[in-house]
């Protein structure tokens, strides 16, 4: 295989810079339709490509993974991998990778955004402006709730819960209370 170019299949569109960089490693086949591939299309990719790069929208159960395949690596675009039958991948000689931790801060930011949008009625206000119904400011219009300095309760203090707590504490001065299945060390919480 020395000197041979790898065949790499992307099951969905990836950021353009990443797609271009992958071209340095081999022939890149891109799913230009950018829709989830069918089970038959995934099976065909496994039979023809050295590397298949699935996303969380691609189900890779045993019946797709088992049998003769050329693929030796599933380079999964995403943190989760519960859409891939890991035992079947291993039985077929396929290594599986993922991107752990890459979405921690982004997910926490989305949680913070949703909290702020709910408290400040941002979605309602945006719809009002877009519809042309905004008729100017008045003291009682769209009253909302201030979150700065309030108490935030978080259930689940894993990576995302901790990131959300840090953002709320340092960004909004919120007091954090939490529940977690396993004990969260007071020293960890005090560092927020």
């Amino acid at each position: 295989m020395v000197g041979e170019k790898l065949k790499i299949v992307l099951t969905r569109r990836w950021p353009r810079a990443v797609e271009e960089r992958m071209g340095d490693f081999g022939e890149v086949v891109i799913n230009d339709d950018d829709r989830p591939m069918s089970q038959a299309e995934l099976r065909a990719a496994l039979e023809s490509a050295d590397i298949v790069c699935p996303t969380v929208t691609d189900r890779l159960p045993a019946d797709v993974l088992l049998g003769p395949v050329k693929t030796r690596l599933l380079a999964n675009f995403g943190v989760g991998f519960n859409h891939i039958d890991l035992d079947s991948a291993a039985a077929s000689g396929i290594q599986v990778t993922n991107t752990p931790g890459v979405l921690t801060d982004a997910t926490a930011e989305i949680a913070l955004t949703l909290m702020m949008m709910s408290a400040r009625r941002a979605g309602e206000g945006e719809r009002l402006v877009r519809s042309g119904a905004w008729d100017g400011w008045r003291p009682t219009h769209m009253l909302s709730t201030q979150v700065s300095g309030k108490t935030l309760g978080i259930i689940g203090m894993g990576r995302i819960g901790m990131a959300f707590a840090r953002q709320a504490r340092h960004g909004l001065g919120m007091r954090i209370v939490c529940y977690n299945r396993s004990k969260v060390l007071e020293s960890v919480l005090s560092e927020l």
Side-chain angles (χ1 to χ4, degrees):
M1 180 156 245
V2 175
E4 266 186 61
K5 285 201 119 187
L6 298 171
K7 181 176 179 182
I8 305 165
V9 171
L10 301 182
T11 66
R12 299 296 294 264
R13 294 304 311 246
W14 286 25
R16 182 176 304 281
V18 176
E19 291 176 352
E20 290 171 1
R21 179 74 169 104
M22 283 187 175
D24 294 344
F25 301 98
E27 171 197 356
V28 180
V29 178
I30 298 171
N31 175 2
D32 285 319
D33 294 336
D34 200 22
R35 56 161 179 71
M37 294 175 81
S38 70
Q39 299 292 276
E41 290 169 319
L42 289 168
R43 180 66 199 169
L46 292 167
E47 291 173 354
S48 67
D50 301 290
I51 301 170
V52 174
C53 302
T55 69
V56 296
T57 60
D58 298 306
R59 271 190 1 86
L60 291 154
D63 61 324
V64 172
L65 291 165
L66 293 175
V69 295
K70 181 178 181 184
T71 298
R72 290 293 158 241
L73 175 63
L74 288 176
N76 185 48
F77 186 104
V79 175
F81 48 85
N82 59 334
H83 58 290
I84 301 169
D85 184 320
L86 297 177
D87 291 335
S88 297
S92 292
I94 303 171
Q95 296 290 315
V96 178
T97 64
N98 68 332
T99 53
V102 72
L103 297 175
T104 300
D105 287 331
T107 304
E109 288 170 8
I110 290 169
L112 188 63
T113 299
L114 292 171
M115 180 181 70
M116 294 296 297
M117 286 183 67
S118 297
R120 289 301 185 173
R121 300 172 64 184
E124 182 182 352
E126 185 267 345
R127 288 187 298 277
L128 194 66
V129 170
R130 284 187 185 268
S131 72
W134 173 259
D135 59 1
W137 178 87
R138 56 191 181 278
T140 60
H141 184 68
M142 292 193 56
L143 291 176
S144 59
T145 301
Q146 182 168 336
V147 296
S148 295
K150 295 283 180 19
T151 299
L152 173 64
I154 300 176
I155 298 174
M157 290 298 284
R159 287 187 323 268
I160 295 167
M162 292 296 284
F164 183 33
R166 268 192 305 279
Q167 292 170 4
R169 170 100 172 96
H170 296 292
L172 298 167
M174 297 184 86
R175 178 176 165 264
I176 308 301
V177 296
C178 67
Y179 173 80
N180 200 56
R181 288 183 303 192
S182 59
K183 185 175 175 138
V184 177
L185 298 174
E186 289 301 318
S187 62
V188 172
L189 290 176
S190 68
E191 292 176 17
L192 294 177

